[in-house]
Coordinates of all heavy atoms in Angstrom, one line a residue:
Chain A
S41 N 64.5 165.9 -91.4 CA 65.2 166.9 -90.6 C 66.4 166.4 -89.8 O 66.9 167.1 -88.9 CB 64.3 167.6 -89.6 OG 63.2 168.2 -90.3
Chain B
V4 N 78.9 165.2 -84.8 CA 79.2 166.3 -85.7 C 78.2 167.4 -85.4 O 77.0 167.2 -85.4 CB 79.1 165.9 -87.1 CG1 79.3 167.1 -88.1 CG2 80.1 164.8 -87.4
S5 N 78.7 168.6 -85.2 CA 77.9 169.8 -84.9 C 77.9 170.8 -86.0 O 79.0 171.1 -86.5 CB 78.3 170.4 -83.6 OG 77.6 171.6 -83.2
Q6 N 76.7 171.3 -86.4 CA 76.7 172.3 -87.4 C 75.9 173.5 -86.9 O 75.0 173.4 -86.2 CB 76.0 171.8 -88.7 CG 76.7 170.7 -89.4 CD 76.1 170.3 -90.7 OE1 75.6 169.2 -90.9 NE2 76.1 171.2 -91.7
S7 N 76.4 174.7 -87.4 CA 75.7 175.9 -87.0 C 75.7 176.9 -88.1 O 76.7 176.9 -88.9 CB 76.3 176.5 -85.7 OG 77.7 176.8 -86.0
P8 N 74.7 177.8 -88.3 CA 73.4 177.7 -87.5 C 72.6 176.5 -88.0 O 72.9 175.9 -89.1 CB 72.8 179.0 -87.9 CG 73.3 179.3 -89.2 CD 74.7 178.8 -89.3
S9 N 71.5 176.2 -87.3 CA 70.7 175.1 -87.8 C 69.7 175.6 -88.9 O 69.3 174.9 -89.8 CB 69.8 174.6 -86.7 OG 69.1 175.6 -86.0
N10 N 69.4 176.9 -88.9 CA 68.6 177.6 -89.9 C 69.2 178.9 -90.2 O 69.7 179.6 -89.4 CB 67.2 177.8 -89.5 CG 66.4 176.5 -89.4 OD1 66.0 176.0 -90.5 ND2 66.3 175.9 -88.3
K11 N 69.2 179.3 -91.5 CA 69.7 180.6 -91.9 C 68.8 181.1 -93.1 O 68.6 180.4 -94.1 CB 71.1 180.4 -92.4 CG 71.7 181.7 -93.0 CD 72.0 182.7 -91.9 CE 72.8 183.9 -92.4 NZ 73.0 184.9 -91.4
V12 N 68.3 182.3 -92.9 CA 67.5 183.0 -93.9 C 68.2 184.2 -94.3 O 68.6 185.0 -93.4 CB 66.1 183.3 -93.4 CG1 65.3 184.0 -94.5 CG2 65.4 182.0 -92.9
T13 N 68.4 184.4 -95.5 CA 69.2 185.6 -96.0 C 68.6 186.1 -97.3 O 67.9 185.4 -98.0 CB 70.7 185.3 -96.1 OG1 71.4 186.6 -96.2 CG2 71.0 184.4 -97.3
D18 N 76.3 187.2 -98.7 CA 77.3 186.1 -98.4 C 76.8 185.4 -97.1 O 76.3 186.0 -96.2 CB 78.7 186.6 -98.2 CG 79.3 187.2 -99.5 OD1 78.6 187.2 -100.5 OD2 80.3 187.8 -99.4
V19 N 77.0 184.0 -97.1 CA 76.7 183.3 -95.9 C 77.9 182.4 -95.6 O 78.6 181.9 -96.4 CB 75.4 182.4 -96.0 CG1 74.2 183.3 -96.2 CG2 75.6 181.4 -97.2
E20 N 78.0 182.1 -94.3 CA 79.1 181.2 -93.8 C 78.4 180.1 -92.9 O 77.6 180.4 -92.0 CB 80.1 181.9 -92.9 CG 81.1 182.7 -93.7 CD 82.2 183.2 -92.9 OE1 82.2 183.0 -91.6 OE2 83.2 183.8 -93.4
L21 N 78.7 178.9 -93.2 CA 78.1 177.7 -92.5 C 79.3 177.0 -91.8 O 80.3 176.8 -92.4 CB 77.4 176.8 -93.4 CG 76.4 177.4 -94.4 CD1 75.8 176.4 -95.3 CD2 75.4 178.2 -93.7
R22 N 79.0 176.6 -90.5 CA 80.1 176.0 -89.8 C 79.9 174.6 -89.5 O 78.8 174.1 -89.2 CB 80.3 176.8 -88.5 CG 81.3 176.3 -87.5 CD 81.3 177.0 -86.2 NE 82.1 176.4 -85.2 CZ 83.3 176.8 -84.8 NH1 83.8 177.9 -85.3 NH2 84.0 176.1 -83.8
C23 N 81.0 173.8 -89.4 CA 80.9 172.4 -89.1 C 82.0 172.0 -88.1 O 83.2 172.3 -88.3 CB 81.1 171.5 -90.3 SG 81.2 169.8 -90.0
D24 N 81.7 171.4 -86.9 CA 82.6 170.9 -86.0 C 82.6 169.4 -86.1 O 81.6 168.8 -85.7 CB 82.2 171.3 -84.5 CG 82.6 172.8 -84.2 OD1 83.8 173.0 -83.9 OD2 81.8 173.6 -84.4
W34 N 81.4 167.9 -97.1 CA 80.2 168.8 -97.2 C 79.3 168.3 -98.4 O 79.8 167.9 -99.4 CB 80.6 170.3 -97.5 CG 81.1 171.0 -96.4 CD1 82.4 171.3 -96.0 CD2 80.4 171.7 -95.4 NE1 82.5 172.1 -94.9 CE2 81.2 172.4 -94.5 CE3 79.0 171.9 -95.2 CZ2 80.8 173.1 -93.4 CZ3 78.6 172.6 -94.1 CH2 79.5 173.3 -93.2
S75 N 85.4 173.3 -89.9 CA 85.4 173.7 -91.3 C 84.3 174.8 -91.5 O 83.2 174.8 -90.8 CB 85.1 172.5 -92.2 OG 84.9 172.9 -93.6
T76 N 84.5 175.7 -92.5 CA 83.5 176.7 -92.8 C 83.2 176.6 -94.3 O 84.2 176.6 -95.1 CB 84.0 178.1 -92.5 OG1 84.3 178.2 -91.1 CG2 83.0 179.1 -92.8
L77 N 82.0 176.5 -94.7 CA 81.5 176.6 -96.1 C 81.0 178.0 -96.3 O 80.1 178.4 -95.6 CB 80.5 175.5 -96.3 CG 79.9 175.5 -97.8 CD1 80.9 175.1 -98.8 CD2 78.6 174.6 -97.8
T78 N 81.5 178.7 -97.3 CA 81.1 180.0 -97.6 C 80.5 180.1 -99.0 O 81.0 179.5 -100.0 CB 82.3 181.0 -97.6 OG1 82.9 181.0 -96.3 CG2 81.9 182.4 -97.9
I79 N 79.3 180.7 -99.1 CA 78.6 180.9 -100.3 C 78.5 182.4 -100.5 O 78.0 183.1 -99.7 CB 77.2 180.3 -100.4 CG1 77.2 178.8 -99.9 CG2 76.6 180.4 -101.8 CD1 75.9 178.2 -99.8
A88 N 68.8 175.2 -99.7 CA 68.9 173.7 -99.5 C 69.3 173.5 -98.1 O 69.6 174.4 -97.3 CB 69.9 173.1 -100.5
V89 N 69.5 172.2 -97.8 CA 70.1 171.8 -96.5 C 71.5 171.5 -96.8 O 71.8 170.7 -97.7 CB 69.4 170.6 -95.8 CG1 70.1 170.2 -94.6 CG2 67.9 171.0 -95.5
Y90 N 72.4 172.0 -96.0 CA 73.9 171.8 -96.2 C 74.3 170.9 -95.1 O 74.2 171.2 -93.9 CB 74.7 173.1 -96.3 CG 74.4 173.8 -97.6 CD1 73.2 174.6 -97.7 CD2 75.2 173.7 -98.7 CE1 72.9 175.3 -98.9 CE2 74.9 174.3 -99.9 CZ 73.8 175.1 -100.0 OH 73.5 175.7 -101.2
L91 N 74.8 169.7 -95.4 CA 75.2 168.7 -94.4 C 76.7 168.5 -94.4 O 77.4 168.5 -95.5 CB 74.5 167.4 -94.8 CG 73.0 167.3 -94.6 CD1 72.4 166.2 -95.5 CD2 72.7 167.0 -93.2
C92 N 77.2 168.3 -93.2 CA 78.6 168.1 -93.0 C 78.7 166.7 -92.4 O 77.9 166.2 -91.6 CB 79.2 169.1 -92.1 SG 80.9 168.8 -91.6
G106 N 76.2 165.5 -89.4 CA 75.5 166.5 -88.5 C 74.1 166.6 -89.0 O 73.7 165.9 -90.0
D107 N 73.2 167.4 -88.4 CA 71.8 167.5 -88.8 C 71.6 168.6 -89.8 O 70.5 168.9 -90.2 CB 70.9 167.7 -87.6 CG 70.8 166.4 -86.8 OD1 70.9 165.3 -87.4 OD2 70.5 166.5 -85.6
G108 N 72.7 169.3 -90.2 CA 72.6 170.2 -91.3 C 72.2 171.6 -91.0 O 71.8 171.9 -89.9
T109 N 72.5 172.5 -91.9 CA 72.0 173.9 -91.9 C 71.0 174.1 -93.0 O 71.3 173.8 -94.2 CB 73.1 174.9 -92.1 OG1 74.0 174.8 -91.0 CG2 72.6 176.3 -92.2
R110 N 69.8 174.5 -92.6 CA 68.8 174.8 -93.6 C 68.9 176.2 -94.1 O 68.7 177.1 -93.3 CB 67.4 174.5 -93.1 CG 66.2 174.7 -94.1 CD 64.9 174.3 -93.5 NE 64.9 172.9 -93.2 CZ 64.7 171.9 -94.0 NH1 64.4 172.1 -95.3 NH2 64.6 170.7 -93.6
L111 N 69.3 176.4 -95.3 CA 69.5 177.7 -95.9 C 68.4 178.1 -96.8 O 68.0 177.4 -97.7 CB 70.8 177.7 -96.7 CG 71.2 179.0 -97.4 CD1 71.4 180.1 -96.4 CD2 72.5 178.8 -98.2
S112 N 67.8 179.3 -96.5 CA 66.7 179.8 -97.4 C 67.1 181.2 -97.9 O 67.5 182.1 -97.1 CB 65.5 179.9 -96.5 OG 65.0 178.7 -96.0

Side-chain angles (χ1 to χ4, degrees):
Chain A
S41 301
Chain B
V4 176
S5 178
Q6 294 188 244
S7 60
S9 54
N10 287 282
K11 177 72 175 179
V12 180
T13 192
D18 297 351
V19 294
E20 286 189 353
L21 312 179
R22 176 186 170 103
C23 173
D24 282 275
W34 282 97
S75 178
T76 301
L77 177 69
T78 300
I79 309 173
V89 176
Y90 290 82
L91 290 156
C92 174
D107 287 334
T109 294
R110 182 175 299 277
L111 178 63
S112 299

